Amino acid sequence: MPFVIMLAATATVLMLEATRVFVAYLVFVIDQSQRVEIATIAFGAFVVIAFGGILRRLVGWRLLVGASAIGLAAARLTIQFWQVAEARLVLGGLVIVCWGWLLTTLLQSRRDDVALGVLLGLALDVAIRIGFETVDLPWMPGLTAHLATGALVMVFAVSALMVARCDNLPVGNAPALSLIAVGPGFAVFHLMTGNLGIAQTTLDTDFPTAAGVLAIGTILGLLVSGMMTTSSVAGSRSWLRSMRVEGPVSVFILAAIGALGLWLFWQAPDMTAIALIFGVAGSYVLMALALLGSEPSRWRPGGGVTLWFTAGLMLHVALLFAYYTATGPPIMIIVGWVLLLAGAFVNGTRAKAASAWQFSSLRVWFSLVMVLLVIVSGWHAITWSKPDVGDPLSGDVTVVTYNIQAGFSLDNRYDLEKTAETIASHNPDIVILQEISRGWMVLTSIDEVLWLSQRLDMPIYFGAASDDNLWGNAILTRAPVTSETVRKFTSTENFKRSVIGVAVETESGPLWAFGTHLDNPNNASEVRLEQVEQLLTFWNGRNPAIIAGDFNATPDSDVIQRLREAGFDDPGERLNDAPTSKDRRRIDFIFTTAGLDVTEVVVVERWTSDHLPVIARMTIRE
């Protein structure tokens, strides 16, 4: 049924965008330190989906589909045009709930159509974010983003109307246990197979190449899934029928290929691109197997669609919560993959002639999305250009250090453009940033390193702190950089931390710039002191040098005193402890060594983050 496919696809895209909004605002509106409260709200939003079964019995499937569609469309459109953080948090949760009610209703009888729609939704989401250079439609609103959102909502609304007008949908009795794997499948998508940032960092390449690799993997996944499902359609070619995935042997082979790709992705740098392609493609096939209808059976363990689908979404929340709480350990991706594989295995070994898709409809929709992937990735490959490296710096240097809080302002509104304006207004030679993300879902999933480099037209050097190398510190400068090095601290109380150092060419020789962000809990003074000792070892006496960042320590602390003892000057002393953070403490510093004379240091009163930028102008001694 084409309209069910369209409905599931567009609903999934709108849900993915709203989920990233919901999760990010949970962290900033509630505050990341309140993890029990965050977990309660996150789990609660997805638990509400379980009430869809009761509502379906009370009001009927037609009314539930209509009400869910209206709620989803209205909430998603409001998110696009209303930037208030608290409202976006609530509306994001509403989109998730309405999507869950809609899908569980359709899964009762149109499992195969919904499976196809979900796959297309995942692929379309990737295409949109490639087209907008990793930026989700709700995050950086403008005319193009508004038009794209309007088009998605319009197709969604028309599809919902047509589905609601159709004859009664028969209730199927296929086993639903495999649906528990769908949630882990979404987690794997957010963390790896749909993550443009992790593709760039792991491949160690530019955006167009990473986007191309992800697009190839997505297209391959759609092709294999299409062959897998259309092979049972009467009249299909024999080579398509031979591609039918059924029985434990076939699923085991798919599992082995996917596991090999996953292992190569993390362990074999020379084969990362191929591994990512197979990993992405494999995730689509496994998701299809978990969603597909299977031969009716007397064995219906524990109940129906809504129960197992909701249970899977609980696993999805648990995986994401554990992943970001532990600062991005890859093991969580592997756990999600294994759970997805288990669901696919349960369903794939039982699937016989399950598909009723019309091959012509399948070909049209898959072709449209695949062509879109080719167009957007190809466009970037043709037009992409990196910021040019300029001349060595003169004797006068302007340095900015800024904890940008991933683009969220003091009132928790996300606006990376205002962050860029704050930086650019001071015409800096060296910019040292903290709390910058390359694709963390809890921080919008945008590659902010990529975006800021393009927006400010400055080459950028990223120093990862997290295990997945997607969160940390960055340094921007147009001057030539002759050396770049990063060290992750071994001690931590909260999120993991690091320091990045670059040797910037000046007319007087190299100037070393170091950027860091020490641990933040108030009771972590001993951890911060250990991190400073590792920082000084990393510095290793290289002069002249700047060490700047968010030290989460006040001028009278042991941490700052240790840096002074090591020979660093704190020109910010002349500010009379002017606060740099929202709690009115001076905890952001620019330290200098001998060979640098600071002529001016200021704190700019602009709250485009929960910290204020610190600017120092200095002269390099001949």
Side-chain angles (χ1 to χ4, degrees), residues 14 17 76-77 80-81 128 132 137 140-155:
L14 297 171
E17 293 172 343
R76 177 60 188 85
L77 280 174
Q80 188 69 25
F81 296 99
I128 290 170
F132 285 84
L137 296 178
M140 304 288 282
L143 180 59
T144 306
H146 292 335
L147 290 175
T149 301
L152 280 171
V153 172
M154 184 176 297
V155 174

Side-chain angles (χ1 to χ4, degrees), residues 461 463 475 481 483-487 499-504 512-515 538 542 546:
Y461 306 88
I475 297 177
V481 168
S483 182
E484 175 188 2
T485 183
V486 178
R487 177 174 177 177
V499 56
I500 178 175
V502 298
V504 180
W512 277 92
F514 297 92
F538 180 75
R542 288 174 282 196
I546 301 161

Side-chain angles (χ1 to χ4, degrees), residues 483-545:
S483 182
E484 175 188 2
T485 183
V486 178
R487 177 174 177 177
K488 295 180 180 180
F489 298 140
T490 58
S491 302
T492 185
E493 181 73 21
N494 189 11
F495 291 133
K496 295 181 180 178
R497 312 285 173 160
S498 70
V499 56
I500 178 175
V502 298
V504 180
E505 279 298 294
T506 75
E507 294 175 355
S508 304
L511 168 64
W512 277 92
F514 297 92
T516 193
H517 182 196
L518 303 188
D519 227 325
N520 66 309
N522 292 332
N523 61 355
S525 56
E526 292 185 6
V527 171
R528 284 190 288 271
L529 201 54
E530 292 177 17
Q531 290 171 346
V532 163
E533 292 296 340
Q534 294 178 43
L535 171 62
L536 292 173
T537 300
F538 180 75
W539 164 57
N540 196 28
R542 288 174 282 196
N543 291 330

Side-chain angles (χ1 to χ4, degrees), residues 84 101 250 332 400 515 524 564 595:
V84 176
W101 288 349
S250 298
M332 290 295 106
V400 173
R564 292 193 182 104

Side-chain angles (χ1 to χ4, degrees), residues 267-561:
Q267 301 295 329
D270 295 337
M271 300 186 68
T272 305
I274 295 175
L276 183 57
I277 289 172
F278 279 105
V280 171
S283 70
Y284 277 80
V285 175
L286 294 177
M287 182 72 97
L289 283 172
L291 278 164
L292 281 173
S294 58
E295 186 180 51
S297 170
R298 293 179 181 176
W299 181 64
R300 301 183 63 196
V305 164
T306 303
L307 171 65
W308 294 109
F309 189 78
T310 306
L313 294 176
M314 294 299 98
L315 291 174
H316 160 252
V317 175
L319 286 168
L320 293 177
F321 187 82
Y323 183 86
Y324 290 113
T325 299
T327 328
I331 186 64
M332 290 295 106
I333 299 176
I334 296 173
V335 171
W337 187 278
V338 170
L339 291 171
L340 176 60
L341 173 61
F345 186 84
V346 166
N347 210 29
T349 56
R350 304 174 62 81
K352 299 299 179 184
S355 179
W357 291 342
Q358 293 296 320
F359 184 66
S360 58
S361 297
L362 179 69
R363 182 172 56 194
V364 168
W365 293 112
F366 271 39
S367 297
L368 284 174
V369 174
M370 288 189 287
V371 167
L372 181 60
L373 282 164
V374 171
I375 290 173
V376 294
S377 56
W379 173 256
H380 287 304
I382 295 170
T383 62
W384 189 262
S385 62
K386 293 181 178 180
D388 293 329
V389 176
D391 299 325
L393 299 178
S394 65
D396 296 324
V397 179
T398 299
V399 178
V400 173
T401 184
Y402 193 14
N403 181 329
I404 66 170
Q405 196 182 214
F408 285 86
S409 64
L410 184 63
D411 62 357
N412 296 320
R413 297 193 184 198
Y414 183 81
D415 196 334
L416 204 56
E417 173 59 33
K418 288 186 178 178
T419 302
E421 290 173 0
T422 299
I423 295 169
S425 64
H426 301 284
N427 194 27
D429 299 298
I430 300 172
V431 183
I432 299 172
L433 303 178
Q434 304 86 52
E435 290 195 24
I436 186 168
S437 166
R438 300 212 63 176
W440 265 18
M441 183 185 179
V442 291
L443 302 176
T444 75
S445 291
I446 295 172
D447 186 344
E448 296 168 336
V449 170
L450 169 76
W451 193 92
L452 284 171
S453 178
Q454 294 290 313
R455 167 62 178 81
L456 297 171
D457 193 28
M458 297 178 75
I460 193 164
Y461 306 88
F462 180 64
S466 59
D467 288 337
D468 59 3
N469 297 323
L470 295 186
W471 180 81
N473 312 295
I475 297 177
L476 299 94
T477 181
R478 293 187 183 91
V481 168
T482 58
S483 182
E484 175 188 2
T485 183
V486 178
R487 177 174 177 177
K488 295 180 180 180
F489 298 140
T490 58
S491 302
T492 185
E493 181 73 21
N494 189 11
F495 291 133
K496 295 181 180 178
R497 312 285 173 160
S498 70
V499 56
I500 178 175
V502 298
V504 180
E505 279 298 294
T506 75
E507 294 175 355
S508 304
L511 168 64
W512 277 92
F514 297 92
T516 193
H517 182 196
L518 303 188
D519 227 325
N520 66 309
N522 292 332
N523 61 355
S525 56
E526 292 185 6
V527 171
R528 284 190 288 271
L529 201 54
E530 292 177 17
Q531 290 171 346
V532 163
E533 292 296 340
Q534 294 178 43
L535 171 62
L536 292 173
T537 300
F538 180 75
W539 164 57
N540 196 28
R542 288 174 282 196
N543 291 330
I546 301 161
I547 293 182
D550 175 3
F551 288 80
N552 278 304
T554 54
D556 58 351
S557 65
D558 292 341
V559 168
I560 305 305
Q561 182 60 35

Side-chain angles (χ1 to χ4, degrees), residues 48-187:
V48 175
I49 294 173
F51 293 98
I54 299 173
L55 290 174
R56 192 162 50 246
R57 294 186 183 92
L58 291 176
V59 303
W61 73 268
R62 198 186 309 273
L63 183 57
L64 184 58
V65 166
S68 299
I70 291 171
L72 193 157
R76 177 60 188 85
L77 280 174
T78 307
I79 287 173
Q80 188 69 25
F81 296 99
W82 196 12
Q83 303 298 310
V84 176
E86 293 78 6
R88 287 185 137 203
L89 172 62
V90 174
L91 291 166
L94 179 59
V95 171
I96 291 169
V97 171
C98 290
W99 167 83
W101 288 349
L102 190 64
L103 244 67
T104 52
T105 299
L106 298 176
L107 282 167
Q108 296 290 330
S109 59
R110 296 288 181 177
R111 288 258 308 253
D112 290 357
D113 289 335
V114 172
L116 172 59
V118 169
L119 294 186
L120 288 173
L122 294 174
L124 184 56
D125 180 74
V126 170
I128 290 170
R129 287 184 293 116
I130 289 176
F132 285 84
E133 297 178 14
T134 79
V135 179
D136 247 338
L137 296 178
W139 288 123
M140 304 288 282
L143 180 59
T144 306
H146 292 335
L147 290 175
T149 301
L152 280 171
V153 172
M154 184 176 297
V155 174
F156 168 78
V158 170
S159 303
L161 178 63
M162 298 305 296
V163 170
R165 292 178 62 183
C166 74
D167 295 332
N168 287 333
L169 297 177
V171 178
N173 65 341
L177 177 61
S178 65
L179 294 177
I180 199 172
V182 174
F186 280 124

Side-chain angles (χ1 to χ4, degrees), residues 547-591:
I547 293 182
D550 175 3
F551 288 80
N552 278 304
T554 54
D556 58 351
S557 65
D558 292 341
V559 168
I560 305 305
Q561 182 60 35
R562 179 67 186 93
L563 285 164
R564 292 193 182 104
E565 291 173 356
F568 284 91
D569 293 326
D570 173 19
E573 286 181 327
R574 66 190 74 172
L575 294 171
N576 296 320
D577 289 340
T580 63
S581 64
K582 68 177 181 179
D583 59 3
R584 312 304 296 173
R585 296 183 300 157
R586 184 164 81 91
I587 58 177
D588 301 87
F589 298 84
I590 298 176
F591 293 101

